Amino acid sequence: MATTAVGRNNNGDGEQKKRKKKGGFRTMPFILGNDICDRFATAGFGANLITYLTQQLHLPLVDASNLLNNFGGTSSLTPILGALAADSFAGRFWTIIAGSVFYQLGMVGLVVSALLPSLRPPPCSPPATPCRRASGWQLGVLYLSLLCTSLGSGGFRPCVVMFGTDQFDQETAPEQQEKQGGAADAAEAVAERKRRYFNLYFFTMGVAALLAVTVVVYIQDNVGWGWGFGIPAVAMLVSIVVFVVGYPLYVRLKPGGSPFTRLAQVAAAAFRKRNVAVPEDAGLLYQDKELDALISTTGRLLHSNQLTFLDRAAIVTPGDISATGQPDLWRLSTVHRVEELKSIIRLLPIWSAGIMLATAGSHNGTFTIMQARSMDRHVTDRFEIPAASMSIFGTAAMLVSLALYDRAFVPLARRVTGLPSGITYFQRMGVGLAISILSVAAAALVEAKRRRAAAAHGLQDDPAAVVPLSVFWLVPQFAVHGVAAAFSSVGHMEFLYDQAPESMRSTAAALFWLASSIGHYLGTVLVTAVQRATRGRGDWLQDNINQGRIDSYYWLVTCLMVLNLGYYIVCFRFYTMKPLEMADEHDDRGKECELSSVEKNGAGAGGSV
């Protein structure tokens, strides 16, 4: 992770005074301004892409759906590369800039593809004029543009939110204790600010997405795809400029070295010593505060009794330490570094529960839009709501939920639980997973109703027919999904931020997006498997959705979501919070405390004591 060295000499004091003039809420207009423009660009570009693929490039529904799922998966996979670059050598600021530039190049490619007729197949109106699928060359330009946007996403997705938290992390312990009246109060105040920041971050993302799926989607459907892609491209350029303008105000932390290298060193050292007995006294394991200083500025991780096989990496054996006193890190690791690997392994089961949530949400940008296109979308006699704009109801529900969460829900929950945060992020994630089940079930019920209406009016054989059923029947599933996201997504990000090692915060954000990536790929696998399994036996997924059984697909996803919730509850019951030694400027020994289930069920964010 990007960190700064801790020093107590005069130079260090000067550096602390200099840093006090940077960071804090004064940087939020630039960081969140960048995020709003960025999110506006990405949402405006992706919200209606299924329509572009099926109506302009003439791809079959399943092919277009799988392409979007794969694109979403790749865009959520590349943040691992961005996090590695940010934590290892580039730092978060420059990784965000590089990612934004790559994304800009991809957006320009899409604008050119939408403007030049040679990069699209000719218009058609079946059956008089059969539709010709886009050629390999035309699809190649599309794939190259999407690849650039995916690489760009890898730069800014794992870094923007953590770059924002960097602006609050760097107030020194003495300053905070003087302001708040004690170490515990100071830690609680910092945790509260970060919780509010996470809510604000997701709120601004929602506002930008709301603007995109209304303004941009309307332009794409009614003005043209050149303007529809061009406006998000301009917004992306504005986001880069806004972010660069705030450069003098940012706390820009130095990279602490590749976290993946450290994890590999621990694993290699433990395997090398697999036949060495682990001492009963954990105090005999190797410690080196100076070596760990750059990756443990807020406190070192303490020894835990789980995954004891890895403790062998911290056993000193002949040849582990050179004559100069420097350890060979591929043979010997400190307890802190061993616990970094343990922390990552421990959080993976709970992290993986978010994968199915992404899988369930992947159909909102594909099948649901095709459903909306087949329904009566009139708001007035002359105005039809664009199909892709239906997601505004999900975004609006998420925004309202986030606003009410701090203002209403937390104060009420605080009276019951006594926790400053109202409920823990574990409970927040669980509530979100439970609500998401209702969203998919609602989608299944509405699709069954839409199919019955199509059959009742003899429209099953006409894929272009408009079923006489209001599109606003889709609102409940979008709204419930938005409420679920307000709980699960924010709780998921809080959990990863708090329980990941300090030096791997960018990687923690990348894990958030990695869950989305795997979820999208799993969505592709699920769609393909269902299509093959039902071919010739009902054909659940086909281009004519009036003859398909998308409702059965939704019920299948609902059952998987129920199993996923049970899996999450089991993982939570066996989860152990990371043990952390709180750094103390006045006492080099620090305050050591092993966290227990009390903290897991009560003390909210912040695994430190």
Side-chain angles (χ1 to χ4, degrees):
M1 172 192 169
T3 52
T4 49
V6 177
R8 295 190 180 90
N9 54 25
N10 291 334
N11 291 336
D13 292 340
E15 188 69 22
Q16 292 281 10
K17 291 178 181 178
K18 183 178 179 180
R19 193 179 298 122
K20 284 172 62 178
K21 299 179 181 178
K22 297 185 176 183
F25 278 104
R26 67 172 71 89
T27 62
M28 289 302 102
F30 302 100
I31 295 175
L32 294 180
N34 163 268
D35 192 56
I36 288 175
C37 295
D38 158 40
R39 184 61 178 173
F40 178 83
T42 54
F45 152 63
N48 206 20
L49 197 54
I50 185 70
T51 302
Y52 183 74
L53 295 178
T54 55
Q55 302 295 318
Q56 299 294 314
L57 300 185
H58 306 151
L59 296 184
L61 174 61
V62 170
D63 289 353
S65 172
N66 285 342
L67 172 59
L68 287 184
N69 281 334
N70 291 335
F71 165 62
T74 303
S75 297
S76 298
L77 182 63
T78 52
I80 290 292
L81 301 178
L84 178 61
D87 285 342
S88 300
F89 59 88
R92 288 195 250 279
F93 177 84
W94 291 111
T95 304
I96 293 170
I97 293 295
S100 299
V101 170
F102 267 101
Y103 203 96
Q104 183 73 64
L105 293 175
M107 290 298 301
V108 170
L110 285 167
V111 172
V112 172
S113 143
L115 290 176
L116 296 182
S118 61
L119 296 179
R120 288 175 286 118
C124 63
S125 54
T129 308
C131 293
R132 191 179 71 190
R133 178 176 171 146
S135 67
W137 156 251
Q138 293 165 339
L139 289 176
V141 174
L142 173 72
Y143 293 155
L144 181 60
S145 300
L146 293 179
L147 177 62
C148 285
T149 61
S150 293
L151 292 173
S153 298
F156 54 73
R157 277 186 174 179
C159 296
V160 170
V161 63
M162 297 308 172
F163 189 70
T165 62
D166 288 345
Q167 312 309 311
F168 301 104
D169 270 343
Q170 297 306 305
E171 292 186 73
T172 63
E175 291 169 354
Q176 285 300 306
Q177 291 181 28
E178 183 178 346
K179 290 179 183 178
Q180 304 295 335
D185 291 338
E188 184 177 309
V190 171
E192 175 69 10
R193 281 200 300 275
K194 289 179 182 177
R195 182 179 64 79
R196 289 181 178 274
Y197 167 72
F198 281 123
N199 276 353
L200 182 61
Y201 171 78
F202 279 93
F203 186 86
T204 55
M205 284 178 61
V207 169
L210 189 64
L211 290 173
V213 297
T214 51
V215 177
V216 176
V217 168
Y218 180 83
I219 291 173
Q220 290 170 347
D221 280 354
N222 296 278
V223 178
W225 288 95
W227 281 103
F229 286 149
I231 291 175
V234 171
M236 194 70 212
L237 179 62
V238 171
S239 78
I240 298 173
V241 173
V242 169
F243 187 67
V244 171
V245 167
Y247 180 85
L249 298 178
Y250 298 141
V251 171
R252 299 181 303 278
L253 306 180
K254 298 177 183 177
S258 171
F260 295 103
T261 300
R262 291 197 303 276
L263 299 183
Q265 288 171 337
V266 173
F271 181 78
R272 182 189 295 269
K273 300 173 183 177
R274 58 190 179 277
N275 295 322
V276 178
V278 178
E280 294 184 4
D281 183 5
L284 299 176
L285 299 176
Y286 183 64
Q287 302 267 14
D288 191 331
K289 285 189 176 183
E290 184 177 348
L291 181 64
D292 293 335
L294 195 63
I295 58 174
S296 59
T297 58
T298 60
R300 293 180 303 156
L301 293 171
L302 303 177
H303 177 263
S304 62
N305 293 321
Q306 291 81 34
L307 303 170
T308 54
F309 170 83
L310 296 173
D311 289 343
R312 290 177 169 83
I315 299 174
V316 181
T317 58
D320 289 349
I321 301 177
S322 66
T324 61
Q326 295 299 317
D328 179 351
L329 295 179
W330 289 98
R331 294 175 56 96
L332 180 64
S333 296
T334 63
V335 169
H336 175 82
R337 294 172 184 235
V338 171
E339 291 300 324
E340 281 188 325
L341 179 54
K342 287 185 181 182
S343 295
I344 292 296
I345 294 174
R346 279 196 298 259
L347 64 79
L348 288 179
I350 286 184
W351 160 81
S352 65
I355 294 174
M356 196 61 215
L357 194 64
T359 300
S362 64
H363 60 250
N364 283 336
T366 54
F367 298 142
T368 306
I369 292 179
M370 300 308 294
Q371 291 171 255
R373 293 186 68 85
S374 73
M375 301 171 75
D376 179 9
R377 294 181 282 120
H378 282 92
V379 179
T380 66
D381 291 339
R382 296 186 177 182
F383 177 72
E384 283 187 331
I385 184 172
S389 291
M390 289 301 296
S391 60
I392 64 175
F393 297 103
T395 305
M398 185 187 73
L399 293 177
V400 172
S401 299
L402 288 173
L404 293 178
Y405 187 86
D406 273 330
R407 300 291 181 181
F409 179 79
V410 170
L412 289 175
R414 190 180 292 151
R415 294 180 183 179
V416 177
T417 65
L419 302 177
S421 58
I423 58 175
T424 67
Y425 43 64
F426 292 106
Q427 294 165 336
R428 188 169 185 172
M429 287 176 62
V431 170
L433 291 174
I435 295 176
S436 65
I437 296 172
L438 301 179
S439 170
V440 186
L445 293 172
V446 172
E447 171 58 11
K449 182 177 181 64
R450 192 200 65 80
R451 285 187 65 256
R452 287 196 299 269
H457 291 83
L459 301 175
Q460 284 184 305
D461 296 327
D462 185 359
V466 175
V467 177
L469 183 70
S470 173
V471 74
F472 294 104
W473 276 96
L474 297 175
V475 170
Q477 69 193 62
F478 278 107
V480 176
H481 180 76
V483 175
F487 279 87
S488 59
S489 296
V490 181
H492 200 189
M493 182 68 83
E494 280 188 285
F495 163 72
L496 291 172
Y497 177 86
D498 187 61
Q499 289 301 297
E502 173 194 339
S503 61
M504 300 182 68
R505 293 276 167 75
S506 291
T507 305
L511 284 175
F512 177 85
W513 293 109
L514 180 61
S516 176
S517 169
I518 298 174
H520 279 89
Y521 286 132
L522 186 58
T524 298
V525 171
L526 188 60
V527 167
T528 303
V530 168
Q531 184 192 32
R532 291 179 179 177
T534 62
R535 184 175 294 149
R537 288 176 288 183
D539 286 333
W540 288 9
L541 306 176
Q542 50 183 293
D543 291 341
N544 184 355
I545 61 174
N546 293 332
Q547 292 183 349
R549 292 300 307 268
I550 295 180
D551 55 329
S552 298
Y553 172 80
Y554 287 157
W555 282 122
L556 173 63
V557 175
T558 301
C559 294
L560 294 176
M561 291 295 294
V562 172
L563 295 175
N564 187 61
L565 178 61
Y567 165 77
Y568 172 79
I569 293 172
V570 172
C571 293
F572 165 73
R573 296 303 302 173
F574 289 97
Y575 184 74
T576 301
M577 300 284 281
K578 71 176 183 183
L580 183 66
E581 170 193 71
M582 192 68 177
D584 192 328
E585 292 288 324
H586 304 294
D587 183 357
D588 286 346
R589 293 173 299 176
K591 299 178 181 179
E592 301 187 0
C593 184
E594 189 90 20
L595 296 185
S596 66
S597 60
V598 175
E599 278 75 20
K600 184 175 78 169
N601 294 301
S608 58
V609 184

